[in-house]
Structure formats: C-alpha cells, structure tokens
C-alpha cells in the first residue's frame, strides 16, 4: 500500500509534492501566487488536484512545460480582469465595487462566461440539460483550448486530478490523468457551479462543480493507492475561522466562507486518526514472532498498516480590505494583483520556514501545519 515520492525525495523534501487547489472564483489568483513561489524555489508539483477555479489553475500548470507555466497563468488572469469604472476606484471605492459586481453579473467576463438570455425566459423554459444555467461557459472552453496542452496533461508529469459532482447520484467523481485521458470538458465540469453555469456532459453523464460536494479535495490524496510519502500544499481560499456576524453583510460573507471551506477540518482530523492507527498496526505487526509473519490471515491484517507520512501544509488566504460576500466575483485588476502577491509572499515565507523539517511522533501518519497568512493574522 506504500510508495516512494519523486520530486520531493530528489530535492530533500519529504515525499512527492502535491498541490491541492480549492474552488473560489476570483479568489483563485491567490493560488497562482502560491505556484509562483514554488516555481521560483524550484519546487514543481508531482501531482495537482483541483476543483472549480482550482481545476482551471491546475490545468494551466499541468498543461504547460515548467518554463511556460507562469506566463500562461498570467495570460489567463489578465483576461479575467475587469477594468476600473469611470475613475471611481480611488474616489468612491465602495460605489466602484458595487458597480463592478453588477457589471460582471450583467455582462460576464470575457474569456470566461457570458450571459445566457434564454435562462430568463422563465424557470420552466426548456433550456436543455447542457444549457440550463444563467451563463454560457463557451468562452472558457475556447480559453482553455488555447492555453492548455491536453496532450501534455495526459503525459501525467505532473499528474492532474479534477473533482466534479455527478448530478444524478450526488457523488464526487475525481477524473485523474493517471487513470484516463483528461480533456477540456473535465476541467469545465469541475467549474460548472449551478445555477450560474450549466452542467457538463462527460461519457453520457452530467457533472457540476465539485465544490458543491467537496471544495477542498485533499481527500483524493488520502484515498490514493498506493499511498506515498507526501508534502501536500493545500491552498484554502475561504476563511475556515471567522468572527460572529453582526450585520447582514457579515452574515452573507461568513455564510460563503463556512459553505465553501467545506468539511476539510473534519476530514483531516479523521485522516490523522486513521493514519495513526495504520502506523500502530505496523508497529504491532513488527512485534509478532517471526513464525507468524507467513500466516495468510496475519498478512491480511498487517496489510492495513502503513508507514507513509503525509505533511499537510494548509495555506490560508487573507481577507482583503472592504471584502464582501461578492469577493469570488471580484475580478478587478487590483483584487487579482493583491491576492496573487499575497499567495506568493505567504508561500515564500512558508518555504523559508520549512515546518515539515524536524522530529515528529513516529505514530503520526498525517501531520498538519496551519500556515495562516500574516495579513489574515493581523486582521484577527
């Protein structure tokens, strides 16, 4: 059940390098900054897992050679930018933010999504399963086809996994380049958030955004077979911890953070327990008399043991000034630039600190390092 790392072991890091990217719309520029810091440090991921905007960023990384990855990320995010309105950004920032939001709602984002006028013909209007959304994502399909080399993706260097929700069964489905070919439809399915975007059909089945079931797809690493020693950079765009809301604006903002932070804290706590038990089984099996080792029933029981270790570095993005519940559609040039630089600076600091270096409990199979962005810590 165990395996060895690749990139990590060759660079002195503890196992394969896994980059896990959460969904969060415009907040995803923070992930691009995280990748930039890793790239500048010579740390390229062996495996990238993403949902929604995380799947898009993941495909841009996996679908380009290392020398071109940052440039392609920059091209994509430049196309996402909404330009400042009438010089209001500096003079009336609150009004500018509201107008920018409604401009995005009314007109979409060039290269990403555009309004579907038929969606307003009534909630019983027969749009068809693959067009039932307030927007069309045909522009995104064209953008990804231009910026991502899916032949390169399917060489599996790095491995790419994108999560999507199976509409009929409400089950999470991880499409994995190690298991089968990934194309533009798989990435689009991972980002098909209803009711804004329509479901995407793959092999005859409809899929929605994986974030509605599991917005933090770290679970895919824990469920992998064979398991490997891993250094997992898990990038969180939504604040898992926040103040009690005192206004309706606070309620809307906190509700989104709670909703899309997903169940990752509970999942990781469970995996810490499970992996600890696996290490315990390993230790107990080692203490058995040599004569017992060849007993088939003992071998089967011992197979539940595991000696791999996974360091989970949770990178928590900061909340910017004046941030509201519309932050995931804040495609302003300033918002994208601030989040990108925050991701880069935060990850650079974490790499310098290297919290995965040191002595750890030998029974610990999953070790979590909570790495709060200094900007977020200061705000609290």
């Amino acid at each position: 059940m165990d395996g060895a790392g690749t990139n990590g072991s060759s660079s002195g890091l503890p196992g394969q390098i896994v980059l896990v990217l959460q969904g969060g719309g415009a907040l995803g520029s923070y992930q691009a900054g995280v990748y930039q810091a890793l790239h500048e440090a010579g740390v390229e991921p062996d495996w990238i897992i993403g949902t929604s905007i995380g799947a898009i960023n993941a495909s841009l990384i996996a679908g380009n050679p290392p020398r071109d990855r940052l440039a392609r990320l920059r091209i994509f995010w430049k196309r996402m930018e909404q330009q400042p309105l009438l010089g209001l950004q500096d003079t009336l920032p609150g009004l500018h933010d509201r107008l920018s939001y409604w401009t995005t709602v009314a007109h979409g984002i060039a290269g990403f999504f555009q309004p579907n006028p038929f969606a307003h013909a009534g909630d019983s209007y027969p749009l068809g399963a693959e067009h039932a959304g307030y927007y069309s994502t045909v522009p995104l399909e064209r953008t990804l086809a231009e910026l991502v080399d899916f032949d390169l993706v399917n060489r599996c260097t790095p491995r790419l996994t994108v999560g999507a929700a199976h509409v009929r069964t409400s089950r999470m489905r991880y499409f994995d380049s190690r298991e089968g070919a990934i194309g533009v439809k798989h990435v689009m399915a991972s980002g098909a958030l209803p009711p804004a975007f329509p479901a995407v059909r793959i092999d005859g089945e409809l899929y929605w955004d994986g974030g509605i079931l599991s917005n933090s797809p770290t679970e895919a690493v824990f469920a992998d077979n064979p398991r490997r020693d891993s250094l997992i950079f898990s990038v969180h765009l939504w604040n898992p911890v926040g103040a009690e809301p005192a206004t309706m604006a606070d309620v809307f903002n906190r509700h989104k953070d709670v909703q899309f932070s997903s169940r990752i804290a509970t999942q990781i706590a469970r995996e810490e327990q499970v992996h600890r038990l696996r290490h315990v089984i390993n230790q107990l099996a080692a203490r058995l008399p040599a004569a017992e080792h060849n007993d088939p029933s003992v071998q089967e029981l011992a197979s539940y043991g595991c000696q791999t270790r996974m360091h989970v570095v949770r990178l928590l993005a900061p909340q910017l000034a004046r941030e509201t519940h519309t932050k995931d559609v804040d495609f302003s040039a300033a918002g994208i630039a601030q989040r990108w630089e925050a991701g880069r600076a935060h990850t650079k600091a974490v790499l310098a600190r290297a919290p995965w270096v040191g002595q750890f409990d030998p029974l610990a199979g999953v070790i979590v390092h909570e790495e709060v962005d200094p900007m977020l810590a200061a705000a609290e």
Side-chain angles (χ1 to χ4, degrees):
M1 296 291 288
D2 302 338
T6 52
N7 187 337
S9 59
S10 66
S11 61
L13 296 172
Q16 67 174 340
I17 308 303
V18 185
L19 183 58
V20 179
L21 304 178
Q22 197 179 64
L27 305 178
S29 59
Y30 179 87
Q31 298 170 345
V34 169
Y35 173 73
Q36 180 176 357
L38 293 174
H39 177 80
E40 289 172 344
V43 179
E44 294 293 342
D46 299 297
W47 185 10
I48 315 174
I49 309 168
T51 55
S52 201
I53 194 65
I56 292 172
N57 279 330
S59 72
L60 289 162
I61 298 168
N64 285 285
R67 66 178 181 277
D68 296 332
R69 290 171 179 170
L70 271 179
R72 289 300 172 94
L73 282 167
R74 290 195 184 282
I75 291 170
F76 175 82
W77 283 99
K78 187 67 177 177
R79 292 185 186 182
M80 299 301 105
E81 288 182 4
Q82 287 278 46
Q83 297 304 312
L85 302 170
L86 305 174
L88 296 176
Q89 188 173 22
D90 297 323
T91 57
L92 296 169
L95 177 59
H96 172 272
D97 292 346
R98 287 193 293 274
L99 287 174
S100 179
Y101 169 74
W102 286 111
T103 298
T104 301
V105 169
H107 301 288
I109 298 286
F112 195 166
F113 58 92
Q114 61 192 24
N116 175 14
F118 296 105
H120 300 280
D123 57 11
S124 297
Y125 186 81
L127 295 166
E130 293 164 80
H131 302 283
Y134 288 113
Y135 300 91
S136 165
T137 51
V138 168
L140 175 62
E141 184 171 10
R142 289 194 292 260
T143 297
L144 291 175
E146 177 186 346
L147 297 179
V148 177
D149 181 347
F150 284 97
D151 288 335
L152 184 57
V153 166
N154 291 307
R155 293 178 195 168
C156 222
T157 52
R159 177 181 174 188
L160 174 64
T161 302
V162 298
H166 189 213
V167 174
R168 281 196 310 107
T169 63
S170 305
R171 293 183 178 179
M172 192 70 175
R173 170 78 183 273
Y174 286 107
F175 296 101
D176 191 332
S177 64
R178 192 181 69 176
E179 308 299 332
I182 285 183
V184 67
K185 292 292 186 183
H186 298 89
V187 178
M188 292 178 63
S190 185
L193 182 64
F197 303 149
V200 176
R201 193 176 298 279
I202 299 172
D203 296 331
E205 297 290 339
L206 286 176
Y207 293 90
W208 272 330
D209 190 312
I212 65 176
L213 289 178
S214 182
N215 200 37
S216 301
T218 313
E219 63 193 28
V221 187
F222 299 134
D224 197 32
N225 188 10
R227 285 182 293 275
R228 296 171 180 262
D229 289 340
S230 301
L231 175 56
I232 304 164
F233 293 95
S234 184
V235 186
H236 294 254
L237 304 178
W238 304 90
N239 298 330
V241 177
E244 294 182 353
T247 68
M248 290 310 298
D250 292 342
V251 169
F252 293 141
N253 194 22
R254 187 69 197 130
H255 173 243
K256 269 196 173 179
D257 279 336
V258 171
Q259 179 182 12
F260 291 114
S261 288
S262 193
R263 302 179 306 280
I264 186 60
T266 304
Q267 290 169 346
I268 287 184
R270 178 179 175 276
E271 291 297 336
E272 286 179 301
Q273 294 173 341
V274 169
H275 277 69
R276 187 175 188 86
L277 289 174
R278 286 179 175 143
H279 279 233
V280 167
I281 292 170
N282 229 43
Q283 297 267 356
L284 288 173
R287 292 173 179 268
L288 290 173
E292 298 288 335
H293 289 176
N294 292 327
D295 185 317
S297 62
V298 171
Q299 290 178 345
E300 181 182 357
L301 291 171
S303 71
Y304 289 93
C306 179
Q307 60 186 3
T308 58
R309 172 164 285 171
M310 300 184 187
H311 288 269
V312 181
V313 180
R314 297 183 68 199
L315 297 165
L316 307 180
Q319 183 167 313
L320 303 185
R322 302 195 324 272
E323 198 167 82
T324 70
H325 71 283
T326 64
K327 55 193 172 186
D328 52 331
V329 288
D330 173 23
F331 287 95
S332 66
I336 288 172
Q338 287 176 29
R339 291 188 175 93
W340 186 307
E341 182 51 34
R344 178 177 178 271
H346 186 195
T347 307
K348 189 174 179 180
V350 170
L351 288 170
R353 194 158 54 251
W356 49 85
V357 175
Q359 298 296 315
F360 301 96
D361 181 351
L363 293 181
V366 173
I367 300 169
V368 180
H369 309 277
E370 294 282 359
E371 298 293 328
V372 179
D373 190 297
M375 291 175 61
L376 181 59
E380 295 176 347

